[in-house]
Amino acid sequence: MSSFKEYFNKVSKNEFYKKWLKDAWPYITGAILLSLFQIVTLATTGNPWGVSGVFANWGAWIYEAVGGSVDKWYYFSSDGAQATLNNGFLNDPGTMRNLGIIFGALLATLLASQFKFKKIKSKKQVFAAVLGGLLMGYGARIAYGCNIGALFSGIASLSLSGWVFAIAMFFGAIVGSKLLVKFFM
């Protein structure tokens, strides 16, 4: 165990570790990497980057795993949606991207020594988080996209809907933050 601590102490003092893994990257680096990932995603899958639609597929796969059928549901009635469901969880490019985001964020947090459990301050905080998550998920599905699919991919595809989404999201964030402060803080 002491050799592990010695190794970690040695690594944490390494300049490469500090520069690339511990310290925050500049915003321009993040913007360039996001743009490159968007180009690669579009080139390899033929679809722009999306996140929330994949979660609907995950729900369908879970529902089918417990004996349900989504074949008659309108959302999954198209040939493309049926093909995605028939290919399975691990053969879906969107699933791979989402798992990469989840585990990549965890790895980045761990490598930067920023992982921590926070104390829940009140039931209002839990209620606000659950309500906000449900409303954002529902909104992403009825809008046919979240901030990634509708905003980032929309603007990258030179779609007017991406810019409309950006304006609506900006004003929604202002209203939402005021409601958050008024009722939950």
Side-chain angles (χ1 to χ4, degrees):
M1 186 68 166
S2 64
S3 63
F4 178 74
K5 285 184 181 181
E6 291 171 12
Y7 176 75
F8 185 74
N9 286 334
K10 186 177 178 181
V11 167
S12 65
K13 293 175 185 166
N14 182 297
E15 278 303 310
F16 177 83
Y17 170 78
K18 286 181 182 178
K19 182 177 180 178
W20 293 101
L21 301 175
K22 180 76 173 161
D23 296 339
W25 289 7
Y27 289 125
I28 190 74
T29 304
I32 291 169
L33 287 172
L34 279 174
S35 299
L36 290 174
F37 291 146
Q38 173 72 308
I39 291 167
V40 169
T41 296
L42 188 58
T44 58
T45 67
N47 293 311
W49 186 15
V51 174
S52 63
V54 178
F55 292 136
N57 295 339
W58 288 9
W61 282 314
I62 291 169
Y63 185 65
E64 288 179 340
V66 296
S69 174
V70 297
D71 294 342
K72 303 282 188 233
W73 294 8
Y74 177 76
Y75 186 83
F76 297 107
S77 63
S78 72
D79 291 338
Q82 285 298 309
T84 298
L85 293 179
N86 291 335
N87 284 339
F89 183 79
L90 294 176
N91 292 322
D92 179 39
T95 293
M96 293 298 108
R97 282 191 303 274
N98 281 5
L99 290 175
I101 290 168
I102 292 166
F103 289 112
L106 175 63
L107 180 65
T109 303
L110 292 171
L111 289 172
S113 303
Q114 296 297 313
F115 183 82
K116 58 186 150 201
F117 288 103
K118 289 186 169 187
K119 182 181 177 190
I120 296 173
K121 296 177 184 170
S122 69
K123 290 181 181 177
K124 283 174 77 173
Q125 183 185 30
V126 173
F127 178 75
V130 170
L131 180 64
L134 289 171
L135 288 173
M136 288 190 331
Y138 181 70
R141 290 302 42 196
I142 63 170
Y144 284 109
C146 59
N147 60 325
I148 299 297
L151 174 72
F152 183 64
S153 294
I155 290 174
S157 303
L158 303 176
S159 172
L160 175 63
S161 66
W163 293 102
V164 171
F165 191 93
I167 293 166
M169 190 171 74
F170 176 78
F171 287 111
I174 292 171
V175 172
S177 61
K178 290 188 183 297
L179 290 172
L180 184 65
V181 169
K182 182 175 182 177
F183 293 110
F184 296 108
M185 298 240 167

